[in-house]
Amino acid sequence: MPVNDSILQEPEVFFPSEAMSAHATISGMGAYRALAAEAERDYEGFWARLARETLSWHKPFTQVLNEAKAPFYTWFEDGELNASYNCIDRHVEAGNGGRVAVIFEADDGTVTRVTYDDLLQRVCHFANALKKLDVKKGDRVVIYMPMSVEGVVAMQACARIGATHSVVFGGFSSKSLNERLVDVGATALVTCDEQMRGGKALPLKSIADEALAMGGCEAVKSVIVYRRTGGKVAWSEGRDLWMHEIVANEPDQCAPEWVGAEHPLFILYTSGSTGTPKGVQHCTGGYLLWAAQTMKWTFDWKPADVFWCTADIGWITGHSYIAYGPLALGATQVMFEGVPTYPDAGRFWDMIARHKVSLFYTAPTAIRSLIKLAETDMKVHPDSFDLSTLRVIGTVGEPINPAAWRWYYEHVGGSRCPVVDTWWQTETGGHMIAPMPGATPLVPGSCTLPLPGILAAVVDETGQDVPDGQGGILVVKRPWPSMLRTVWGDPQRFSKGYFPEELGGKLYLAGDGAVRDSETGYFTITGRIDDVLNVSGHRLGTMEIESALVANPLVAEAAVVGRTDETTGEVVVAFVVLKGARPEGEEAVKIANELRAWVGKEIGPIAKPKVIRFGENLPKTRSGKIMRRLLRSLAAGETITQDVSTLENPAILDQLG
Ligand code: PRX
């Protein structure tokens, strides 16, 4: 290796400023190490202390971790609490009811401020209305809503009465919504007439109607509709109810239903390596603890902060860092209905300036697309806005490339704010590997170190630790309070998928590859090790898209892979064999467009393949296995250097390349 290379590879390090460290909750690496050591010394004692300090318990717990039914671990099992009480009532009782909980900015710029007093009233009204509709503890309520205060109110109201919510992202199709309604056995659905995004009204109620008409969800007795735009909607008398009408005469109080710490708070569907999404089930106590605790540690949240997480409530980030974490601490947060590019690509920066946001949390894809637009138009460049209120800026959902990291650090964070690159997943409930802003020296592209109490490691296929500096499989060695409890209705998929026998049955398998630096111990995530893609920070299963494609009457066979993309991280590339002749020219373009629209209808627009290539067959081994590695190379436009001697039909590569 030329001498200079080692110099070039020396990572740039950004240390926290003294001012940042001086006031931070974790005030330096010493404090970080002390917490990690406390967890190592007395694992249960550490978590019990945090759970007592951070949450209000109706009945204190006496048990901490129970491993008797591993991997179905439980935490704080005999304790009782209510998530909604923790997120709202206790702040009102402490005299902070007048504090703003949510600064809601609509797509058109209209701003509404909701205090903790208001939120309590609205949640109680809605909780009472749900009870009247016979929604009871343990019932499942699906929430198919846009970014709205009403969406958060619906989630909190479910939590208040002990119902388990399952939020379905508003971008999912009727078919995806139907599958989730059926799988979760919902008895009520909360939706909206239309959502507003980028100046356009997009239907939700009509998609919900379609989903319900597909059958299998006859258990849904009530459809509650939030009137957002006043657009025309079809109405099923007796089933459909306007949200504003059913809450109108409800009392301002609704006693919280105290539930056991393990009571399922929500189920959130996510993609895995099979054709069907899995319902990740989270509990009440352990989940809420970590959503709140990580706000204090990773964002260094303080009462004076204005927090803004740009994620949608349809994803885990919107659950943990909008609907639960910030509220559990009594924080003031911004919530945004619209898109970052409307009315122009300066919207985020303008909102940070106007609302004096101090903690900002977004996705690398958003940053990368805004970089592009800012490069050609100074009006939408963050340098043109006063972002001096920012203290900590974060990213989530996908790896952030060092160039985007530096731009974010310099132009958004003013070379002053630590960038917290947070690695975690739907299944982990909250941050797992991330810098502590007042302590951890930052290296662009690395999510740095595990949070105190999180025992992340890199192992090989047999579960043995690999030496630092060598890539491997990312695992977590001990259960933690906010981990998923099971896959709804499929405990086998939970135990086999997340605690596989091949790794010894005790390690949590994250599904990502990682490498740990031999000097610093810092983790760098190298991407998924299963057939899961990450497009714009959204998780998509290749098998799901393949199932959608082969459901089309024209399609005989399909294989889907990812291709690296500068802006969205990855894009979906589909290789398709039609039942009829292989199309060419305009015919191929026409069918590709039809198939794209089809996938949009089957799953949702986010799953649409960017590229569709047609072949007379797919590259297969003699035993009939599709050679995906080869397809990935073809998708990337690489010359095939792999051994193709085992290929049944090598000529096919020319058609697909
Ligand atoms: O591959 C990792 C990637 O996103 C996956 C989790 O996706 P999801 O459950 O939808 O949750 C996204 C929001 C937490 C992970 O398995 N991922 C998430 N954060 C990062 C990341 N990859 C690299 N760096 C990150 N900071």
Side-chain angles (χ1 to χ4, degrees):
M1 186 195 288
V3 184
N4 274 348
D5 254 12
S6 63
I7 296 166
L8 282 175
Q9 281 171 11
E10 197 64 46
E12 234 174 324
V13 184
F14 297 79
F15 290 90
S17 68
E18 265 172 40
M20 183 77 219
S21 299
H23 302 286
T25 303
I26 297 184
S27 57
M29 285 311 280
Y32 164 80
R33 281 196 209 96
L35 281 164
E38 181 192 344
E40 213 156 290
R41 216 169 34 242
D42 176 10
Y43 196 63
E44 291 193 31
F46 167 81
W47 287 112
R49 175 176 75 76
L50 296 180
R52 287 192 189 103
E53 286 174 7
T54 303
L55 299 181
S56 302
W57 295 85
H58 176 68
K59 179 175 166 243
F61 56 87
T62 61
Q63 305 160 355
V64 185
L65 169 63
N66 183 346
E67 302 185 83
K69 297 200 180 100
F72 298 90
Y73 301 100
T74 63
W75 286 88
F76 320 119
E77 200 174 359
D78 63 344
E80 284 179 10
L81 77 170
N82 179 282
S84 167
Y85 174 85
N86 271 273
C87 289
I88 313 174
D89 306 50
R90 63 169 175 166
H91 312 309
V92 173
E93 286 168 12
N96 294 321
R99 187 187 287 170
V100 174
V102 182
I103 304 170
F104 181 76
E105 180 156 321
D107 190 56
D108 69 0
T110 309
V111 175
T112 318
R113 286 185 167 71
V114 181
T115 64
Y116 277 91
D117 278 336
D118 300 334
L119 195 60
L120 180 59
Q121 207 180 60
R122 291 173 69 166
V123 168
C124 286
H125 288 170
F126 195 58
N128 284 325
L130 285 177
K131 284 210 273 195
K132 261 204 190 137
L133 295 170
D134 207 27
V135 177
K136 293 184 292 292
K137 180 179 173 186
D139 287 351
R140 275 82 58 209
V141 176
V142 166
I143 300 176
Y144 184 59
M145 288 279 267
M147 286 294 280
S148 54
V149 175
E150 287 71 12
V152 173
V153 166
M155 293 164 85
Q156 285 285 339
C158 287
R160 194 162 191 90
I161 64 171
T164 300
H165 62 69
S166 185
V167 183
V168 177
F169 173 58
F172 276 121
S173 69
S174 52
K175 182 142 182 291
S176 295
L177 175 60
N178 171 270
E179 283 165 4
R180 287 156 174 77
L181 283 163
V182 174
D183 191 75
V184 88
T187 56
L189 169 65
V190 186
T191 188
C192 175
D193 54 357
E194 297 174 310
Q195 58 179 331
M196 288 304 299
R197 287 173 71 78
K200 287 198 223 67
L202 305 167
L204 279 182
K205 171 67 163 65
S206 64
I207 298 174
D209 286 338
E210 267 174 47
L212 291 162
M214 283 175 186
C217 36
E218 290 70 28
V220 177
K221 294 283 174 301
S222 327
V223 176
I224 301 153
V225 188
Y226 158 50
R227 190 158 73 192
R228 166 66 185 89
T229 65
K232 219 167 127 44
V233 289
W235 208 252
S236 167
E237 279 309 326
R239 184 197 73 182
D240 297 353
L241 304 150
W242 286 113
M243 185 185 268
H244 62 272
E245 286 180 3
I246 60 168
V247 299
N249 296 313
E250 289 302 331
D252 292 347
Q253 277 88 35
C254 173
E257 177 86 30
W258 305 112
V259 298
E262 285 295 313
H263 182 71
L265 180 62
F266 65 87
I267 294 159
L268 184 59
Y269 284 83
T270 190
S271 296
S273 45
T274 73
T276 44
K278 45 195 171 185
V280 168
Q281 182 183 318
H282 278 287
C283 74
T284 303
Y287 169 79
L288 194 63
L289 163 62
W290 203 225
Q293 191 66 48
T294 49
M295 283 292 300
K296 291 194 216 170
W297 283 350
T298 314
F299 297 117
D300 191 45
W301 174 83
K302 302 274 170 32
D305 278 311
V306 176
F307 177 75
W308 181 17
C309 164
T310 68
D312 193 282
I313 53 166
W315 307 114
I316 190 69
T317 310
H319 281 60
S320 304
Y321 300 105
I322 296 177
Y324 290 107
L327 296 180
L329 296 181
T332 296
Q333 67 176 319
V334 171
M335 193 177 174
F336 177 41
E337 181 182 44
V339 298
T341 48
Y342 178 82
D344 64 37
R347 184 74 181 259
F348 275 3
W349 324 131
D350 181 45
M351 283 181 62
I352 291 171
R354 277 189 288 110
H355 299 304
K356 304 195 169 15
V357 171
S358 54
L359 313 174
F360 180 63
Y361 193 32
T362 196
T365 289
I367 298 167
R368 287 191 293 259
S369 61
L370 295 176
I371 292 175
K372 267 196 185 162
L373 297 162
E375 268 168 5
T376 52
D377 184 0
M378 238 2 247
K379 276 205 310 298
V380 300
H381 197 288
D383 288 356
S384 305
F385 297 82
D386 176 8
L387 306 182
S388 59
T389 50
L390 286 174
R391 278 200 319 119
V392 178
I393 56 179
T395 67
V396 57
E398 44 180 327
I400 178 158
N401 50 307
W405 192 103
R406 278 186 213 103
W407 185 90
Y408 191 40
Y409 179 78
E410 273 172 36
H411 298 288
V412 180
S415 302
R416 167 188 86 246
C417 307
V419 175
V420 290
D421 173 357
T422 61
W423 177 83
W424 60 296
Q425 313 174 290
T426 304
E427 292 88 340
T428 70
H431 303 152
M432 299 295 280
I433 309 181
M436 300 294 101
T440 320
L442 305 169
V443 173
S446 166
C447 50
T448 75
L449 297 169
L451 273 78
I454 302 297
L455 278 82
V458 183
V459 300
D460 65 16
E461 283 80 14
T462 64
Q464 298 304 308
D465 286 325
V466 299
D468 285 344
Q470 200 173 302
I473 299 169
L474 181 59
V475 296
V476 185
K477 290 196 160 174
R478 290 202 72 173
W480 66 101
S482 68
M483 63 191 284
L484 79 163
R485 292 305 192 260
T486 189
V487 170
W488 176 258
D490 199 349
Q492 286 251 346
R493 194 169 173 189
F494 166 76
S495 43
K496 287 212 167 104
Y498 295 107
F499 294 89
E501 284 302 323
E502 303 85 70
L503 299 184
K506 288 205 149 180
L507 303 176
Y508 167 80
L509 175 69
D512 281 316
V515 55
R516 193 159 66 174
D517 186 84
S518 42
E519 248 169 69
T520 57
Y522 279 17
F523 286 76
T524 297
I525 306 298
T526 51
R528 296 288 305 192
I529 52 168
D530 53 10
D531 293 323
V532 170
L533 306 182
N534 193 326
V535 178
S536 302
H538 300 316
R539 199 163 140 179
L540 295 167
T542 52
M543 294 263 281
E544 266 173 74
I545 308 174
E546 287 166 10
S547 310
L549 283 166
V550 295
N552 185 289
L554 296 176
V555 177
E557 238 185 327
V560 165
V561 298
R563 185 183 76 195
T564 310
D565 182 85
E566 242 184 38
T567 307
T568 59
E570 273 186 301
V571 292
V572 178
V573 178
F575 295 90
V576 173
V577 182
L578 296 184
K579 286 178 185 157
R582 173 175 179 255
E584 285 182 82
E586 270 179 32
E587 175 75 356
V589 175
K590 189 175 140 268
I591 299 181
N593 285 337
E594 263 174 53
L595 293 181
R596 235 174 253 127
W598 172 269
V599 173
K601 269 270 183 212
E602 288 281 297
I603 304 176
I606 47 167
K608 284 185 187 178
K610 174 114 183 196
V611 178
I612 298 185
R613 291 194 194 153
F614 296 100
E616 275 156 15
N617 209 331
L618 296 173
K620 289 183 190 153
T621 59
R622 294 207 175 95
S623 59
K625 232 176 123 241
I626 295 174
M627 295 180 75
R628 287 173 179 280
R629 241 173 355 107
L630 209 55
L631 288 176
R632 278 193 280 271
S633 302
L634 285 174
E638 295 163 4
T639 28
I640 305 294
T641 52
Q642 296 149 42
D643 178 13
V644 292
S645 59
T646 54
L647 199 62
E648 169 74 28
N649 44 1
I652 217 71
L653 298 182
D654 295 332
Q655 284 183 359
L656 296 169

